[in-house]
Amino acid sequence: MRSLCILGSTGSIGVSTLDVVRRFPGKFRVRSLTAGRNVEKLAKQTREFKPDRIAVAEPDKVKDLRALLDGWTGDVLAGEDALCELAAEQESDYVVSAIVGAAGLMPTLAALEKGKLVGIANKEPLVMCGPLMQAAAEKAGATILPIDSEHSAVFQSARAGEKSELRKVVLTCSGGPFRQASADTMANATRREALSHPTWSMGAKITIDSATLMNKALEIVEAHFLFGVPYDGIHVWVHPQSIVHALVEFKDGSVVAQLGLPDMRLPIQYALTYPERWDGGLPVLPLERMANLVFEEPDRGRFPSLDFAYRAGQRGGTAPAVMNAANEVAVSAFLEDKIRFTRIFDLVGEALSKHAVKAMDSLETVLEADAWAREEVRKSCQ
Ligand code: NAD
Ligand code: MG
């Protein structure tokens, strides 16, 4: 039985993970759950799944949390160190990394350093410092399993050949709510419009990232670090139906793809049951849904995000961390109505242009670059 620590259990991925767990009674034990500040949801999950320990990132929320626990008597912890403690403790062998943004870096790293199986949905830390995370995993014998749907699709498809036979990776992308919008509509897009994703239901930050295609930019870097494919071998196609999640091309010319409904429970389940496949009764893709699949080239003029990823990725070192940090702050500013939608592009582009890239020699260097980019963008948003 796998004993789970779910980091970010109250988010969209966290809730879907618990839904998968519910489908396999006796197969998983929930050892620990963590949340940022949503104590109502964390308390509800605690009452249902009865973990031994829970943690909330914001210490001032502990009192409210305790009041909601209804006779449950496990440990309640608080703060980032507590999240790291739960991710690293011996009693859990599988950690689901589902916090949003750079906040997930330290707990995910803590799990990797203890040699655990780590299912990673939280792509931002991988973009910031994928090589450091890989090195930590290798040193401790940890296994990284991708949960992001495109990366799960690459991972599954790539099993049809050897790593050395893989030539090209194609990540698909729904195109988001502004796939066919004019540049003017995009410039004046409201929060509500940007948050209306056509196919996936997700947390707010990744939904905005999907509208700017910054999500795909992050995923290009994520794919490079996870699969070791050079940047010129990673391509993006817009595929509005979100049925084909990724395709891989082998050196003999064969193309293998993974298909499924836009439902994160499938890639989550695969990461949890890997290397096996179990029947969790998830909805299956009806063949009729494949009658009109469309693939288009992304519009790199309206969506400069993809170029940011290639530029930052090829530059290497701290550049991807700066792209990520600038984007995180710009997205928050947009969600707080401080900036226009398309200003996100300017802010990420400016941070990348101004940044003096350093080699990724340590975590400190990455965190410094991350802090520098956040401050730069914050200043520009005032
Ligand atoms: P979400 O906003 O719905 O949930 C985020 C979780 O992180 C919540 O549990 C929240 O309490 C917690 N959290 C937020 N800030 C925190 C902090 N400072 N410290 C500790 N915990 C904190 O986000 P989501 O949509 O579930 O996405 C989570 C991650 O998975 C993101 O990196 C996203 O890019 C990735 N991802 C999501 C989807 C999806 O369908 N939602 C798909 C692929 C990848
Ligand atoms: Mg994805």
Side-chain angles (χ1 to χ4, degrees), residues 243-319:
I243 296 291
V244 179
H245 301 303
L247 308 92
V248 306
E249 183 185 297
F250 290 100
K251 66 181 180 190
D252 61 355
S254 261
V255 176
V256 178
Q258 189 263 344
L259 287 70
L261 289 169
D263 181 339
M264 284 308 295
R265 291 174 301 177
L266 187 51
I268 291 169
Q269 183 181 299
Y270 185 67
L272 287 179
T273 66
Y274 177 83
E276 297 174 8
R277 289 184 184 273
W278 300 351
D279 180 0
L282 287 174
V284 176
L285 172 66
L287 290 185
E288 311 83 83
R289 289 282 289 267
M290 290 195 285
N292 295 302
L293 298 186
V294 171
F295 298 90
E296 304 164 352
E297 285 283 345
D299 180 343
R300 312 249 301 236
R302 273 188 309 126
F303 298 98
S305 346
L306 302 182
D307 293 330
F308 295 152
Y310 291 115
R311 199 169 113 202
Q314 254 142 0
R315 189 72 184 75
T318 49

Side-chain angles (χ1 to χ4, degrees), residues 3 9 11 61 80 117 150 226 248 253 297 316 335 338 347 349:
S3 175
S9 66
K61 288 277 168 189
E80 191 184 45
L117 288 162
E150 297 77 2
L226 282 176
V248 306
E297 285 283 345
L335 286 171
K338 286 187 185 154
L347 292 167

Side-chain angles (χ1 to χ4, degrees), residues 8-14 34-37 57 83 98-101 103 121-124 148-149 201-204 206 264:
S9 66
T10 56
S12 161
I13 293 287
T34 85
R37 48 183 307 114
L83 269 49
I99 291 173
V100 61
N122 183 201
K123 64 193 85 181
E124 293 89 348
D148 207 349
S149 55
S201 156
M202 312 178 284
I206 184 174
M264 284 308 295

Side-chain angles (χ1 to χ4, degrees), residues 29-34 39 42-56 62 64-78 86 89:
R29 204 177 80 81
V30 179
R31 162 71 180 170
S32 58
L33 297 173
T34 85
V39 291
L42 181 59
K44 188 163 172 270
Q45 293 176 338
T46 301
R47 292 194 300 265
E48 179 181 351
F49 291 93
K50 306 197 168 34
D52 300 319
R53 313 180 82 190
I54 59 176
V56 61
V62 170
D64 296 347
L65 177 58
R66 281 191 197 280
L68 295 164
L69 291 172
D70 226 11
W72 174 86
T73 54
D75 291 345
V76 180
L77 293 80
L86 294 187
E89 65 171 3

Side-chain angles (χ1 to χ4, degrees), residues 212-226:
T212 54
L213 300 205
M214 275 307 294
N215 183 46
K216 220 42 54 174
L218 300 172
E219 290 184 355
I220 289 170
V221 181
E222 182 186 9
H224 171 75
F225 288 147
L226 282 176

